[in-house]
């Protein structure tokens, strides 16, 4: 049942297992792993091919500059954090940011959460030592547990079932919120905008907010209906496709489309550490028809990028491939033009998306991981400028954020300092933008639209 039409080399959901597989848990109990994969494969999918194809069309529109993709959420979701409040806050910030960006760029925004499956993390070391004891590293709740005991750190296949269930609960709640009365969130009068006055750009930001409010009022008086009754909000899920056992179990061949799909999520991405042309991860994702993202960083060579384009999108299908560049504010000027040239020479259709988070991580003197708001913004602005100068365009942004008032990234309108970080530092992994910092990024993206940059 291979889709030989799409890729001449044979492909099967498990063909990745014969490739160089890094970041994949070493499960000790093969029989238990097999049983879990069988269970997972029997369960109904989390998403459908109709949704996936609708998203692919929207990404294709963004490739042509007719839409903008906003992708964001936690670095890692945890099972504990699968709560009503956490899901509401994330959805709320993404929805509010999208309204601001729509008003500024005057383009539809495709909303994508790092949600409902962002449970596995790549680690630079396979093992961790503490006080002379060495154990497997914690790889996210989908794989093992974070307490430093042999039992907790043993990769446990059952956690894939628990993760699948949490993902289903998350998606179920997201879908209900979106179908129900979540939509008063469109209106700036319901937003928490006290921070705006702290910014040197307060007047510009107030202007953006006024435009949003006026636009909504105009629409509602013209149509006589509330915005949320008039237009259904789409929302898509994404996660790093890292634990390939989990993804493999939900790879389905759909007869009506004659293609394989990964039905754990709409829009998986391959992380920077696993994205080499001959990797197991590239092998798996070349075989499924979902739109996929690939993270490209300072270490990605033109030859590797060319090989990735050819392997992952041999037919140059619109909407299929998103290049998520994560270079850091100091490397983007040098590397992005090189990527753009490589893609141009290959004649490939891609969506250019900027991840201004992962190239700008630093460790404070007190040992906390943080990111500077100024650097995040500088990378985003450089991305916009470089794409415009090269005749391509930035079609999306990939952010780590939360709707809560955490203190993990420094800077922003309120000028959070390193000393403030301790007050609400909650991330298990990478530092996230908080509610205000995330809204400020949205305002800056919107402001760029109204100033024609
Ligand atoms: C991530 O998105 O959380 C991540 C690990 O990023 P990258 O693969 O770009 O390092
Ligand atoms: Co991260």
């Amino acid at each position: 049942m291979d889709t030989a039409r799409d890729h001449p080399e044979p492909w099967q959901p498990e063909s990745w297992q014969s490739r160089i597989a890094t970041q994949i848990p070493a499960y000790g109990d093969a029989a238990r792993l097999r049983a879990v994969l069988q269970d997972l494969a029997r369960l109904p999918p989390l998403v459908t091919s109709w949704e996936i194809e609708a998203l692919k069309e929207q990404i294709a529109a963004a490739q042509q500059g007719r839409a903008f993709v906003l992708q964001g959420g936690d670095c890692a979701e945890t099972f504990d954090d699968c709560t009503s409040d956490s899901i509401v806050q994330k959805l709320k910030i993404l929805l509010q940011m999208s309204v601001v960006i729509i008003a500024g760029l005057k383009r539809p925004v495709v909303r994508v959460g790092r949600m409902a499956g962002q449970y596995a993390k790549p680690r630079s070391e396979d093992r961790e030592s503490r006080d002379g004891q060495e154990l497997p590293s914690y790889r996210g709740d989908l794989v093992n547990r974070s307490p430093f005991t042999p039992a907790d750190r043993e990769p446990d296949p059952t956690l894939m079932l628990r993760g699948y269930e949490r993902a289903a609960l998350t998606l179920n709640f997201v879908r209900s919120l979106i179908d129900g009365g979540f939509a008063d969130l469109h209106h700036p009068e319901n937003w928490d905008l006290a921070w705006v006055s702290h910014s040197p750009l307060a007047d510009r930001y107030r202007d953006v907010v006024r435009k949003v409010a006026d636009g909504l009022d105009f629409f509602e008086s013209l149509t006589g209906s509330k915005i949320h009754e008039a237009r259904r909000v789409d929302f898509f899920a994404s996660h790093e496709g890292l634990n390939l056992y989990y993804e493999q179990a939900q790879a389905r061949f759909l007869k009506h489309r004659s293609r394989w799909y990964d039905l754990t999520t709409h829009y998986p991405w391959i992380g920077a550490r696993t994205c080499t042309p001959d990797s197991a991860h590239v092998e798996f994702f070349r075989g499924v028809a979902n739109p996929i993202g690939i993270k490209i960083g300072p270490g990605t060579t033109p030859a590797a990028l060319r090989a990735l384009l050819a392997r992952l999108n041999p037919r140059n299908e619109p909407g299929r491939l998103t290049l998520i560049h994560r270079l850091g504010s100091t490397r983007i000027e040098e590397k992005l033009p090189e990527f753009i040239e490589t893609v141009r020479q290959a004649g490939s259709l891609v969506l250019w998306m900027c991840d201004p988070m992962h190239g700008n991580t630093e460790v404070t003197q007190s040992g906390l991981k943080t990111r500077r708001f100024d650097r995040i913004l500088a990378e985003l602005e450089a991305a916009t400028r470089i794409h415009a100068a090269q005749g391509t365009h930035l079609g999306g942004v990939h952010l780590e954020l939360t709707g809560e008032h955490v203190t993990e990234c420094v800077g922003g309108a309120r000028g959070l300092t390193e000393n403030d970080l301790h007050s609400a530092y909650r991330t298990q992994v990478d530092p996230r933008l908080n509610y205000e910092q995330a809204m400020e990024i949205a305002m800056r993206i919107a402001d760029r639209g109204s100033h024609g940059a």
Side-chain angles (χ1 to χ4, degrees):
M1 279 277 205
D2 180 44
T3 43
R5 183 170 58 99
D6 293 334
H7 32 79
E9 280 176 65
W11 179 94
Q12 286 293 324
E14 59 285 335
S15 57
W16 63 268
Q17 293 181 21
S18 63
R19 302 294 170 118
I20 307 160
T22 55
Q23 304 289 343
I24 301 280
Y27 292 109
D29 184 345
R32 181 80 199 119
L33 173 62
R34 242 185 339 267
V36 164
L37 295 184
Q38 271 167 12
D39 272 359
L40 267 178
R42 285 180 49 248
L43 292 172
L46 298 181
V47 301
T48 66
S49 67
W50 290 276
E51 294 167 338
I52 291 173
E53 289 298 330
L55 170 63
K56 211 193 280 172
E57 273 178 34
Q58 295 185 30
I59 296 172
Q63 287 176 333
Q64 298 171 350
R66 294 190 286 109
F68 187 84
V69 179
L70 170 66
Q71 182 172 26
D74 292 317
C75 183
E77 292 174 286
T78 61
F79 291 177
D80 271 355
D81 210 29
C82 181
T83 63
S84 158
D85 196 47
S86 158
I87 296 166
V88 165
Q89 295 303 331
K90 258 178 285 188
L91 204 55
K92 186 169 139 183
I93 182 70
L94 287 167
L95 196 59
Q96 293 182 1
M97 290 173 80
S98 71
V99 174
V100 168
I101 297 172
I102 292 168
L105 298 188
K106 305 201 169 42
R107 275 184 248 164
V109 168
V110 186
R111 302 169 192 88
V112 183
R114 284 174 64 115
M115 282 171 88
Q118 181 52 19
Y119 297 123
K121 292 310 295 175
R123 300 305 306 263
S124 39
E125 303 295 337
D126 278 345
R127 301 182 71 79
E128 184 182 339
S129 298
R130 284 192 208 170
D131 304 326
Q133 191 182 17
E134 200 191 86
L135 293 176
S137 298
Y138 169 61
R139 294 188 168 276
D141 285 2
L142 195 69
V143 174
N144 54 5
R145 301 176 182 85
S146 75
F148 195 74
T149 72
D152 285 309
R153 289 297 176 89
E154 180 63 25
D156 177 358
T158 313
L159 295 175
M160 287 193 272
L161 281 166
R162 301 291 86 82
Y164 195 74
E165 291 151 5
R166 290 284 199 289
L169 292 171
T170 304
L171 272 178
N172 178 58
F173 191 42
V174 165
R175 289 187 163 122
S176 313
L177 287 169
I178 280 187
D179 286 343
F182 201 54
D184 53 342
L185 291 176
H186 281 98
H187 286 265
E189 52 283 15
N190 300 316
W191 301 354
D192 179 1
L193 291 171
W195 59 275
V196 166
S197 57
H198 296 273
S199 168
L201 296 180
D203 289 345
R204 302 255 290 267
Y205 291 163
R206 282 199 194 96
D207 202 39
V208 171
V209 175
R210 198 170 318 113
K211 278 198 187 117
V212 173
D214 288 352
L216 292 172
D217 288 347
F218 180 68
F219 176 89
E220 289 178 349
S221 56
L222 200 68
T223 63
S225 60
K226 292 285 177 198
I227 183 100
H228 61 280
E229 290 158 359
R231 199 172 177 282
R232 198 186 169 284
V233 168
D234 279 334
F235 190 88
F236 298 98
S238 67
H239 63 249
E240 178 173 350
L242 189 65
N243 187 349
L244 295 178
Y245 289 114
Y246 180 77
E247 309 301 327
Q248 168 200 319
Q250 271 293 340
R252 305 263 167 107
F253 185 80
L254 301 182
K255 284 205 194 73
H256 62 282
R257 298 197 188 269
S258 298
R259 299 183 84 175
W260 289 89
Y261 286 81
D262 179 351
L263 298 178
T264 62
T265 193
H266 301 109
Y267 192 14
W269 76 87
I270 307 177
R273 288 180 187 74
T274 49
C275 198
T276 49
D278 55 358
S279 71
H281 292 79
V282 168
E283 172 60 19
F284 178 78
F285 284 106
R286 85 179 166 94
V288 294
N290 303 54
I292 56 169
I294 61 175
K295 294 278 202 102
I296 52 176
T300 309
T301 63
L305 181 53
R306 256 192 310 279
L308 288 166
L309 297 169
R311 265 186 109 60
L312 290 168
N313 196 15
R315 292 189 302 146
N316 219 5
E317 182 186 359
R320 157 74 169 167
L321 200 57
T322 299
L323 299 187
I324 311 170
H325 47 79
R326 29 89 78 223
L327 291 159
S329 62
T330 57
R331 301 297 300 279
I332 187 165
E333 307 280 346
E334 165 207 343
K335 288 289 294 186
L336 183 55
E338 189 181 289
F339 289 157
I340 294 172
E341 189 49 34
T342 301
V343 171
R344 198 191 324 271
Q345 280 174 13
S348 298
L349 203 51
V350 301
L351 178 72
W352 291 103
M353 181 183 279
C354 176
D355 166 357
M357 313 298 293
H358 287 88
N360 292 312
T361 314
E362 49 189 286
V363 180
T364 64
Q365 291 207 323
S366 58
L368 284 179
K369 258 195 191 178
T370 192
R371 291 162 171 157
R372 295 177 190 281
F373 188 84
D374 287 353
R375 298 235 167 120
I376 294 169
L377 204 57
E379 181 164 355
L380 201 51
E381 288 181 350
T384 308
R385 175 168 39 76
I386 294 167
H387 280 297
Q390 300 274 337
T392 44
H393 53 258
L394 185 67
V397 63
H398 183 114
L399 301 169
E400 286 185 343
L401 54 79
T402 161
E404 289 154 50
H405 291 280
V406 300
T407 55
E408 298 170 7
C409 293
V410 296
R414 279 197 207 263
L416 281 189
T417 66
E418 286 189 19
N419 290 335
D420 298 322
L421 291 183
H422 294 273
S423 65
Y425 192 94
R426 299 208 201 109
T427 182
Q428 302 270 356
V429 214
D430 286 340
R432 303 161 295 177
L433 298 166
N434 63 24
Y435 176 86
E436 297 181 349
Q437 291 166 331
M439 282 302 271
E440 188 165 3
I441 292 279
M443 300 255 179
R444 295 292 276 254
I445 295 171
D447 197 40
R448 168 190 114 198
S450 42
H451 288 77

